[in-house]
Amino acid sequence: MSVFIGMPGDFPANSAKAVQNSQLRFNLRKATHTIRGKRATVVGELPDWAELRAAGKAIKDHTLRHLDRYLVQLEEAVQRAGGQVHWARDAAEANRIVTDLVRQTGETEVVKVKSMATQEIGLNEHLAEHGITAYETDLAELIVQLGDDFPSHILVPAIHRNRSEIREIFLAKMGDAPADLTDEPAALAEAARLHLRERFLRSKVAISGANFMIAETGTCVVLESEGNGRMCLTLPETLISVVGIEKLLPTWRDLEVFLQLLPRSSTGERMNPYTSTWTGSTEGQTFHLVLLDNGRTNVLADEVGRQALRCIRCSACLNVCPVYERAGGHAYGSVYPGPIGAILTPQLRGLGSDLDASLPYASTLCGACFEVCPVAIDIPEVLVDLRAKVAHPRAERAGMRVAGWVLAKEVRLAKAQRLASRFRKLVPKRLPGPLSAWTDTRDLPDIPKESFREWWARNERA
């Protein structure tokens, strides 16, 4: 999973730049508050929401515990239904498989349903390098693609754009956009609909992801709101679905739980407008399922971090996160922004880069993300666990060793407190050298003239 081009550095540097953009902050606040309000309304209608949430967590945990068995069951079911299954260890292997499958058809264009897995592996860029053009058909993804931009939200990739900005993008990059196009939502949607219609009708190959896979029948499931998914899944002669191995559910009965959890948590709807399911190959269409690992088995091996694989990509955590609301999605440097991205990306990519090592700190640990997560992922717990695994600077490690030595003995602590009180006027407001990063975002507490120990001893004598 590659870092977005143009997003160098770590999260503090990226977010410091983002918060200077007042238009971005306005767009994010308006959109996230609208979505979270709708979610709260429809969730409040269900008296058994807590039970549904617990059921979703239990189903996901059970599936992940027996993932090896259910993946084999899925493969056998897809093959019985006439589909072909391909296993991809990493992004490079997945890109090669998909590119080879498209080449075998002789086509140079494909249409796509919104898929975070294909964004994760950089599929569009890989296809372009081999002379194949991928056209996004989800409205928000189309806006991002035409604007040479990057997605900044799991559910609403163009959340950082307002209507006027979208109109300008359409007029500049969409060749068939009407000259008198306004920024009214209906007009923008109609322009996109007409632009995409030709793509749907002429494309012979489609690429999709899936929200869920059903092991018992080999069925893939996509939930969407625009109908573009239905067009992509039914019209082309070849359908290639790239899906992370964690998207598996054992049975159709399990799906019933998530068809209640996901729409309410994502778009704030009781039921999503389009739910498309497909099982293997159908008459006139060849189906290929690419099962993507790309670090997921490593995440599964982590006792604390594995709960991130329960994620159903609803984006509820983003919409309540005070950090995301101000910094936006681009600051995270990944297709997975917000609180879930702060725990998922470092586990998939590792903590080797400055960016990935900084993501576990992209949180106030307020716990709002855990409260709204429909599958009860304890994001703060994973964040704290990842912070403990980050390779801390030498100066910080040395400081912690000194602090541990002082705190280990009562006599040492008392002497340190007396020294600190006597020399308190010499302590700078901003720490020097490598320690300066701590005081860049915090105020150093004032050292009192008298420690509590000294006060207690004086008053006890009195």
Side-chain angles (χ1 to χ4, degrees), residues 121-378:
I121 64 177
L123 179 61
N124 286 12
E125 293 77 11
H126 189 272
L127 290 173
E129 291 172 1
H130 293 79
I132 301 168
T133 304
Y135 294 104
E136 299 289 350
T137 63
D138 176 83
L139 177 57
E141 292 289 356
L142 175 65
I143 294 166
V144 169
Q145 186 176 47
L146 291 176
D148 296 321
D149 203 352
F150 303 104
S152 63
H153 191 277
I154 290 176
L155 177 68
V156 195
I159 196 173
H160 56 288
R161 298 287 193 183
N162 60 31
R163 296 186 305 177
S164 297
E165 292 173 316
I166 295 169
R167 173 184 176 274
E168 294 303 318
I169 291 172
F170 280 11
L171 289 174
K173 298 294 183 71
M174 188 185 290
D176 50 3
D180 59 348
L181 180 65
T182 69
D183 64 358
E184 288 299 314
L188 295 172
E190 180 65 15
R193 187 179 297 111
L194 294 175
H195 174 74
L196 291 171
R197 182 71 58 176
E198 180 190 359
R199 309 279 191 213
F200 288 132
L201 294 176
R202 80 183 186 201
S203 295
K204 304 296 183 184
V205 181
I207 297 174
S208 83
N211 294 101
F212 307 104
M213 301 180 293
I214 311 301
E216 68 177 350
T217 58
T219 303
C220 294
V221 185
V222 160
L223 281 66
E224 43 115 1
S225 301
E226 300 171 17
N228 62 301
R230 188 71 55 84
M231 301 282 281
C232 287
L233 297 170
T234 56
L235 292 177
E237 297 173 0
T238 300
L239 174 59
I240 305 168
S241 298
V242 183
V243 190
I245 56 176
E246 81 281 13
K247 295 298 185 70
L248 200 55
L249 298 176
T251 68
W252 275 91
R253 176 173 291 182
D254 299 320
L255 179 63
E256 177 265 338
V257 173
F258 293 93
L259 290 182
Q260 296 183 71
L261 290 172
L262 182 53
R264 285 177 167 81
S265 296
S266 57
T267 56
E269 296 172 298
R270 299 176 184 87
M271 180 179 179
N272 52 288
Y274 294 91
T275 299
S276 299
T277 66
W278 64 101
T279 306
S281 296
T282 58
E283 185 177 353
Q285 186 183 76
T286 302
F287 173 59
H288 298 270
L289 175 60
V290 181
L291 294 172
L292 177 68
D293 185 331
N294 203 35
R296 286 160 174 78
T297 51
N298 293 333
V299 180
L300 187 60
D302 189 297
E303 292 186 3
V304 177
R306 69 175 57 145
Q307 59 186 299
L309 296 179
R310 294 204 297 260
C311 177
I312 57 176
R313 308 294 190 266
C314 70
S315 76
C317 61
L318 280 71
N319 298 327
V320 298
C321 178
V323 176
Y324 174 85
E325 182 183 318
R326 288 156 180 81
H330 290 163
Y332 295 81
S334 165
V335 297
Y336 303 116
I340 187 61
I343 65 171
L344 185 58
T345 299
Q347 293 192 88
L348 292 176
R349 294 199 303 218
L351 293 164
S353 71
D354 289 342
L355 173 63
D356 295 323
S358 71
L359 289 179
Y361 295 89
S363 171
T364 64
L365 300 180
C366 68
C369 49
F370 176 46
E371 293 298 321
V372 299
C373 178
V375 286
I377 300 172
D378 193 342

Side-chain angles (χ1 to χ4, degrees), residues 422-435:
R422 289 169 185 168
F423 295 101
R424 66 185 185 279
K425 293 183 179 179
L426 301 178
V427 177
K429 289 296 183 183
R430 186 175 185 273
L431 296 176
L435 300 176

